[in-house]
Amino acid sequence: MTARTAAAQVVVVGAGVTGLLTAVECVLAGHRVTVLDRGAIPDPSASSYDQHRALRTLAVGDDEATRRMGAAHRRWQELESLLGPGFYRQVGVVTAWPRERLAEVTHFAARARVPVETVGPSALPQLGFPAGTTGVRELPAGVLLAGRVLRAAARWLAARPAAALRPYSPVAAVDAGTGKVTLAGGEVVGGDVVLVAAGPWTRELVGRPAVLHRQTMVYLRAARRQARLWRNAPAVGGIGADGRAWVVPPVAGTLLKISSDAVCREVAGTGAGAEDQTPWAERLAAAGILRDPAGYEVVGIKACHYTADPDTGGARLDRLGPAVWARTACGGSGFASAPLVAGRMAEAAREAVK
């Protein structure tokens, strides 16, 4: 008989997708978890809270990243079984590639054992593909219903005695040396492991260099003549006249979402309320993403914020002290890879009480 592993005390700062999944994984591993957030849990104003996010596995030219995302995809499927069905739709993800690179892409996919198929622009006539490109559809990929993910995780945790959800508990400071978390009201919460995954506020709490970005999203409803084209449609990237745009399809009652790297900009703070989003939305409308823009009704325009590592431009997980970790997450890729961070933090909790 093996001795039962001692339970660690885990403190999670930030109840976005990384924070909540970390709490889930740590509770499953037998640890006690406290989740602190400055707003509600989940918080509709948080960066992670959205209608949907694309989940893909293929990173052409990067074997390790493809392996990691394959592992994340499998864990997402397991989490859906654990937390309750209904937040993942495996509709595939299409990426537009120059035709001269198709052989390279399909060969890499075959070597990585990621099933793909080529998709000509005529198969998605509602979208504008860059000249000279063809789509490659990843079959084991699709759309995560982001808001449903957060609500399901929060419900699951609320029913577990080992988890304490503490909304409206803003954190003022995190001591990387001692693992002590000080709340705005002066209360101190300590943990064997502390994960700071507070989105745009992470860099303020731990002093970690990070670049803050703002991106404009436009949410649309297709008219009847267009709606049929979106039935069972995949998420699509690399489209628009400049190949920098992407769309997430309307599934399970969600709206069509469009955006582009071209409307992603570096900002100093999260105060988007004073910024007029209309010029950015107009730029998206003129980007050649949709072939018939008049066939859609604009339902909403939203400014989203995310942080990125200043060196790589992507997501990062850093150990800042014996007990303290910080997650610098990045948009959709940060959401998709959240199960990997959660698994690493459950491992850190186990190591802390060996």
Side-chain angles (χ1 to χ4, degrees), residues 32 42 66-67 70 73 91 98 102 113 120 124 134 139 157 182 197 322:
R32 300 183 304 275
T66 299
R67 184 198 64 76
H73 181 267
V91 296
L102 283 182
R113 298 183 179 179
L124 294 164
T134 296
L139 301 179
L157 289 165
T182 303

Side-chain angles (χ1 to χ4, degrees), residues 47-258:
S47 297
S48 293
Y49 201 102
D50 196 359
Q51 290 195 31
H52 40 19
R53 299 288 181 92
L55 174 62
R56 57 182 299 177
T57 57
L58 195 63
V60 175
D62 191 332
D63 294 275
E64 178 59 22
T66 299
R67 184 198 64 76
R68 288 197 309 269
M69 290 313 300
H73 181 267
R74 291 188 293 274
R75 188 55 182 155
W76 273 116
Q77 292 176 307
E78 294 166 354
L79 285 167
E80 188 179 35
S81 297
L82 173 73
L83 302 177
F87 62 67
Y88 178 46
R89 298 291 190 273
Q90 193 166 319
V91 296
V93 175
V94 171
T95 303
W97 290 93
R99 293 193 185 105
E100 62 270 20
R101 293 195 63 189
L102 283 182
E104 171 198 347
V105 174
T106 55
H107 176 73
F108 180 87
R111 185 162 57 83
R113 298 183 179 179
V114 177
V116 299
E117 63 183 11
T118 56
V119 177
S122 61
L124 294 164
Q126 69 272 42
L127 297 175
F129 279 68
T133 65
T134 296
V136 175
R137 182 173 186 162
E138 300 171 40
L139 301 179
V143 173
L144 290 165
L145 302 176
R148 292 192 190 184
V149 169
L150 301 185
R151 292 192 295 272
R155 281 196 304 269
W156 189 92
L157 289 165
R160 267 67 194 176
L165 301 181
R166 297 187 55 180
Y168 307 107
S169 299
V171 171
V174 177
D175 189 319
T178 64
K180 291 182 178 179
V181 177
T182 303
L183 277 62
E187 179 186 356
V188 177
V189 180
D192 299 300
V193 173
V194 176
L195 172 65
V196 182
W201 296 277
T202 296
R203 62 179 186 171
E204 299 174 14
L205 291 174
V206 297
R208 197 68 188 167
V211 178
L212 180 65
H213 294 281
R214 180 178 300 152
Q215 185 153 6
T216 300
M217 316 286 187
V218 175
Y219 299 82
L220 306 163
R221 182 178 291 115
R224 182 173 299 178
R225 68 179 183 274
Q226 296 287 353
R228 61 182 178 81
L229 298 172
W230 290 102
R231 292 175 191 150
N232 303 313
V236 186
I239 57 171
D242 60 4
R244 301 177 67 186
W246 45 265
V247 303
V248 185
V251 296
T254 62
L255 297 165
L256 171 68
K257 179 171 69 174
I258 67 171

